[in-house]
Amino acid sequence: MSADVTLAARIGAAVARHVDEAVAVRRDLHAHPEVSRAETRTTALLADRLRAAGLEPRLLPGTGLVCDVGPTGAGEPGPAGAASRARGRVALRADLDALPLQDRCELPWASTVPGVAHACGHDVHTAVVLGAGLVLADLHAQGELGRGVRLVFQPAEEVQPGGSLDVLAAGAMDGVDEIYAVHCDPKVDVGRIGTRIGPITSASDEVSVTIASPGGHTSRPHLTGDVVYALGQVITQVPAVLGRRLDPRSGVNLTWGAVHAGSAHNAIPSTGTVRGTLRCLDVRAWEFAGQVLHDAVEQVVAPYEVEVTVHHTRGVPPVENDERCTGLLEAAARDVLGPDSVVLTEQSLGGEDFAWYLTKVPGAMARLGTRTPGGRSYDIHQGDLQVDERAVDAGMRLLARVAAGQDG
């Protein structure tokens, strides 16, 4: 190919060759979703597609796989026959699992599995990384890929503390120097991405508080520990205590999602439980928020002569985008998607186990626009989620360009 053809144009031509296949894979996965750590069919489909492209995927223990593309070392020929730069490998990560909820998208490729749906866009993430990998394989075959790339297809993002820890334990990130990913955002127009430096998602922990007493009659609350009343104090007071004991700039948020106690209007139950999530935008505050939570619960219920048990399950830290890697993502987007393709995204209190990779190597996650301009804004984790499939094309261009680096 002529030397005056830009890398963006070469990537665009390769995307045009592979995007239909990537969209077809996305629809196939959407029709056949699998929940966390059960992504067997998904893993096999991806392995077959990669082998058909002449690549050599490596299965991970359980489900998921990784696949290397491009130069394997500093001495392998790179662009224009020159020795490739002595740089580490870059990774592109996708998550494979679906959610246990009913699909209501009403499209020809709607889920065929009752009660399971790709309602978070992981089918799109997977198709994007697969497609970007095929594009990068084309560049490598033409001697135009100056660094090694590892495709990481990870299971179990939707469960805590996340399948990324399994990937790390399997050594799948060995030799990787930086990592990138996209996450569908139905509030951003297709063809655009949302980025920000620093925390882009939140730490997310599971919390349950169980209160117990002998129980009794509602006419004699002074003779027993009033479980329901004590639960009410936990529900209302503990979030307020956290807000005064932790730096408000850390974005700490304790929200209750379920409360269970009793079955009769005139009986004080012997046990009751409240469950929720503890979220935090700052990893340093997250590290000691659990102890503050325990202390607050015990202090709040102390006057009511009840027994209390606090279960705090550490989930995932915040995704903290590296400044340099975020800049590379933004530059890649402007090169292949246009000068106005980057918008500042808001910080989300949602959790994302991509954060565990960033505790090992620098990297960045971008919000991938999936909304049709002028169309409806859907929400993720809802059964009626629909995406503008042009996002697959945009995501392939973005990740292929940032992975190719400056030497492609």
Side-chain angles (χ1 to χ4, degrees):
M1 188 173 290
S2 173
D4 61 358
V5 177
T6 66
L7 176 56
R10 299 198 297 274
I11 287 174
V15 168
R17 291 192 294 272
H18 295 292
V19 67
D20 288 345
E21 178 182 4
V23 170
V25 167
R26 182 260 160 169
R27 294 181 179 183
D28 188 313
L29 297 180
H30 196 95
H32 303 93
E34 296 171 303
V35 295
S36 300
R37 297 198 169 90
E39 309 95 334
T40 306
R41 181 186 183 277
T42 303
T43 300
L45 184 152
L46 293 169
D48 288 345
R49 298 283 177 143
L50 292 165
R51 291 189 189 107
L55 299 171
E56 298 180 1
R58 305 190 303 278
L59 300 182
L60 295 171
T63 52
L65 59 88
V66 297
C67 185
D68 288 343
V69 181
T72 58
E76 184 171 332
S84 62
R85 306 297 192 265
R87 295 182 300 172
R89 191 174 297 276
V90 61
L92 305 178
R93 174 270 204 169
D95 36 12
L96 306 181
D97 53 332
L99 286 162
L101 54 80
Q102 189 63 37
D103 194 341
R104 295 183 285 110
C105 76
E106 299 180 349
L107 292 168
W109 49 89
S111 173
T112 60
V113 182
V116 183
H118 270 296
C120 195
H122 294 189
D123 52 338
V124 175
H125 308 165
T126 300
V128 164
V129 172
L130 173 66
L134 298 177
V135 168
L136 292 165
D138 282 3
L139 293 180
H140 180 55
Q142 298 160 8
E144 298 174 342
L145 182 61
R147 69 189 308 185
V149 180
R150 179 163 298 159
L151 312 178
V152 178
F153 295 96
Q154 173 213 305
E157 189 277 330
E158 294 290 356
V159 295
Q160 293 186 345
S164 59
L165 290 178
D166 301 334
V167 175
L168 292 169
M173 290 291 289
D174 292 352
V176 170
D177 276 5
E178 57 193 65
I179 187 168
Y180 297 92
V182 295
H183 195 295
C184 289
D185 190 338
K187 301 185 296 297
V188 175
D189 285 350
V190 68
R192 289 186 167 187
I193 66 165
T195 63
R196 73 179 304 122
I197 297 167
I200 190 172
T201 69
S202 169
S204 178
D205 299 349
E206 294 181 9
V207 175
S208 70
V209 178
T210 299
I211 294 176
S213 81
H217 199 287
T218 56
S219 66
R220 294 182 289 276
H222 59 293
L223 299 182
T224 188
D226 190 335
V227 164
V228 174
Y229 191 85
L231 277 177
Q233 303 310 302
V234 170
I235 290 168
T236 58
Q237 292 189 38
V238 172
V241 173
L242 291 177
R244 290 299 178 267
R245 291 282 304 279
L246 296 169
D247 189 332
R249 293 172 297 180
S250 65
V252 174
N253 179 273
L254 175 61
T255 299
W256 306 112
V259 58
H260 302 282
S263 58
H265 72 282
N266 58 353
I268 296 174
S270 59
T271 62
T273 300
V274 61
R275 298 172 57 214
T277 57
L278 175 64
R279 302 177 187 272
C280 185
L281 291 170
D282 182 80
V283 69
R284 287 150 292 279
W286 179 65
E287 289 170 352
F288 60 88
Q291 186 58 53
V292 176
L293 169 71
H294 277 79
D295 293 345
V297 172
E298 291 177 358
Q299 292 163 10
V300 164
V301 303
Y304 305 111
E305 297 184 346
V306 295
E307 296 180 2
V308 62
T309 303
V310 180
H311 289 288
H312 173 215
T313 303
R314 291 289 290 267
V316 296
V319 171
E320 292 201 72
N321 279 350
D322 176 77
E323 181 175 1
R324 171 183 169 275
C325 293
T326 302
L328 293 175
L329 261 181
E330 293 175 349
R334 293 187 177 102
D335 194 27
V336 295
L337 301 179
D340 299 321
S341 60
V342 179
V343 298
L344 178 66
T345 190
E346 62 187 10
Q347 291 176 295
S348 167
L349 284 176
E352 230 298 347
D353 81 345
F354 183 71
W356 289 119
Y357 298 110
L358 301 184
T359 66
K360 304 299 182 182
V361 297
M365 169 177 280
R367 301 289 187 187
L368 179 67
T370 63
R371 178 178 62 191
T372 300
R376 173 184 166 184
S377 292
Y378 290 87
D379 198 3
I380 57 175
H381 286 225
Q382 297 297 312
D384 63 348
L385 174 68
Q386 294 188 29
V387 304
D388 188 320
E389 289 186 320
R390 290 176 293 178
V392 175
D393 181 294
M396 289 170 60
R397 292 172 187 268
L398 174 69
L399 290 187
R401 180 65 185 88
V402 75
Q406 301 303 311
D407 293 341

